[in-house]
Amino acid sequence: MGNDMLKAKSIFFNSDYTCVVVKGDRIYTSVKRGVDPLLDWIKEDCDFKDACAVDKVVGKAAAFLYECLGIKHLYASIISKPALNVLKRAGIKAEYNLLVDAIINRTKTGLCPMETAVWDIEDMETALDIIKRKKIEMTK
């Protein structure tokens, strides 16, 4: 495991951040939930090519966003099987604590709406468009 991943894990496990990205001396953190921090970083055009990330929960939508950001190594406390497949296909090294069939929504009444939105999608560009539209729809 590289220094960036060790640093990212150390920051994550010793804080209340929901996700941490480390690339050399640059450290990005967020306390936002869901895909929000990832969408923010995409919007800000952050250079995460070959960076390492640690995240609390990674569903298929988040996996596509990490692919879009160019992450090379990801640790997730919880990851869904569809997310793991996206990461493997994208060549992103993935580690996790718990592998689940799907991510459950915050009220525990069904599947995560973002996971559901991209459930049958296989390419990042299409997924990115769907995720952005779903986020707008959910904030109305």
Side-chain angles (χ1 to χ4, degrees):
M1 183 170 30
N3 287 338
D4 286 354
M5 181 52 81
L6 287 172
K7 189 185 301 182
K9 282 183 174 182
S10 176
I11 294 166
F12 179 81
F13 288 115
N14 291 295
S15 71
D16 291 326
Y17 296 124
T18 54
C19 63
V20 175
V21 177
V22 174
K23 182 177 179 183
D25 293 334
R26 294 196 321 260
I27 299 169
Y28 301 82
T29 60
S30 182
V31 293
K32 291 184 176 181
R33 296 172 62 175
V35 298
D36 289 353
L38 306 178
L39 288 171
D40 289 347
W41 291 329
I42 288 169
K43 188 177 176 183
E44 294 165 14
D45 202 24
C46 292
D47 176 19
F48 287 167
K49 184 170 175 11
D50 296 330
C52 294
V54 179
D55 199 327
K56 276 191 172 185
V57 179
V58 176
K60 190 171 183 181
F64 278 124
L65 297 177
Y66 277 118
E67 178 185 3
C68 182
L69 286 164
I71 297 293
K72 73 170 179 182
H73 190 174
L74 173 72
Y75 172 88
S77 295
I78 301 170
I79 193 167
S80 71
K81 289 178 182 177
L84 189 57
N85 289 336
V86 168
L87 297 173
K88 284 182 180 178
R89 204 170 43 247
I92 298 169
K93 182 178 178 181
E95 300 175 64
Y96 53 87
N97 183 51
L98 180 63
L99 179 64
V100 297
D101 290 331
I103 302 300
I104 303 300
N105 66 23
R106 292 178 189 156
T107 59
K108 300 184 183 349
T109 57
L111 293 182
C112 165
M114 287 296 179
E115 180 116 330
T116 303
V118 296
W119 191 261
D120 294 322
I121 304 304
E122 296 304 323
D123 72 283
M124 180 189 61
E125 294 298 326
T126 303
L128 183 58
D129 183 52
I130 290 169
I131 293 164
K132 286 178 179 177
R133 282 189 277 132
K134 184 69 174 178
K135 187 66 190 168
I136 291 167
E137 173 189 313
M138 290 173 64
T139 55
K140 288 184 178 179

